Amino acid sequence: AKAAGRNTFAIFGNHMDELLRRRRKLEHDLRLALETRSQIEAFYQPVYSAEHKGLSSMEALARWKHPEEGLIAPDIFIPIAEEIGLIQEVGAIVLEDACGVMADLPSISMAINASALELCSDGYPLRVLSRLAKWNIDPKRLEIEITESLALGGEGHSDRNIAILRNAGVRIAIDDFGTGYSSFSRVQNLMIDRIKIDKSFIDAVQGESRPLIEAMINMARAKGLKTTAEGVETDEQSDALVALGCDSLQGFLISRPLARTAIIDLYNGSGKR
Ligand code: C2E
Ligand code: CA
Ligand code: CA
Ligand code: CA
């Protein structure tokens, strides 16, 4: 039994070493990718407007094209970028690319994701607004998605930063709404423009989640907030959400996230220009 125990420990130890090595390599590779401003790019997922019955906005989503490992998902590399203090660089690359797409498609609006660390940092609003100014893009066309925990936490400068951005016309959305620190009463006091209802609710919109989603949409309406459903995958979900009065739909049913050239072709072709 002792030998077996030692064996297990040795295997476990090797596994930890392996994980650590892989993690260090990813950190190293990410630094390099961000220094050279290569490999990191944005994909764009179309958002369907129920009111306009067409595509009117999109969300920029970061992608890492690793030369050896292929595409690495943001759920993997965003936390690493945060930990090694380089999330600002990721955000800057995505924003710059998104500004280029907005310049190419003058009638669409754009959503970007902000990490808690970015939104709390002192210079964030000015960095965003000066990028928009450089591209001559109306701040009203930009929406920044933040997570509920952050928006409600009041950490650092986030409240002040949100106020600066909103005063300039930038809109603020609560991402993954309903998960984590959700609380209807607290959301009512937030300086926000939209809630994005999390996919976990949308999955069950025809069943158990229906009354909850209905309550979220009614609450949003009463507060003058817009609603977007995330992760819409079926026609049945789409029909149910439109019937409940959801403003916008996003998900694989409408489109997966697309590369920059593909999204520009799609929006030009749809006559929305
Ligand atoms: P998110 O902001 O909640 O983005 C939605 C995620 O759901 C995206 O994953 C998208 O590809 C995926 N998705 C969209 N529709 C569907 C659907 O119908 N079914 C399914 N199964 N999935 C769907 P992605 O691109 O892997 O992004 C993951 C997360 O990484 C994002 O979640 C966001 O929190 C974060 N992220 C992405 N880009 C950035 C960025 O530029 N900055 C920061 N700070 N975070 C980012
Ligand atoms: Ca988002
Ligand atoms: Ca989300
Ligand atoms: Ca999410």
Side-chain angles (χ1 to χ4, degrees), residues 216-263:
M216 290 180 194
I217 291 173
N218 290 339
M219 182 275 298
R221 277 238 177 106
K223 293 288 156 193
L225 307 178
K226 297 284 186 191
T227 50
T228 300
E230 292 192 317
V232 181
E233 292 181 343
T234 68
D235 283 315
E236 290 74 22
Q237 289 169 353
S238 168
D239 292 346
L241 289 159
V242 171
L244 288 174
C246 193
D247 297 303
S248 299
L249 308 179
Q250 189 178 357
F252 293 172
L253 175 69
I254 291 112
S255 168
R256 290 183 178 258
L258 301 171
R260 180 195 171 113
T261 48
I263 197 88

Side-chain angles (χ1 to χ4, degrees), residues 201-210 213 236-237 240-241 244:
F201 298 95
I202 305 309
D203 286 342
V205 64
Q206 296 151 274
E208 57 188 12
S209 297
R210 194 191 174 88
I213 294 175
E236 290 74 22
Q237 289 169 353
L241 289 159
L244 288 174

Side-chain angles (χ1 to χ4, degrees), residues 7-21:
N7 233 348
T8 311
F9 186 74
I11 290 166
F12 182 68
N14 281 339
H15 186 57
M16 291 301 284
D17 278 355
E18 180 57 37
L19 282 182
L20 211 63
R21 240 197 321 276

Side-chain angles (χ1 to χ4, degrees), residues 24 29 95 101 108 149 158 168 175 187 203 222 261 271:
R24 293 242 174 76
D29 292 353
L95 177 59
V101 172
I108 59 107
S149 53
S158 68
D175 212 344
V187 157
D203 286 342
T261 48

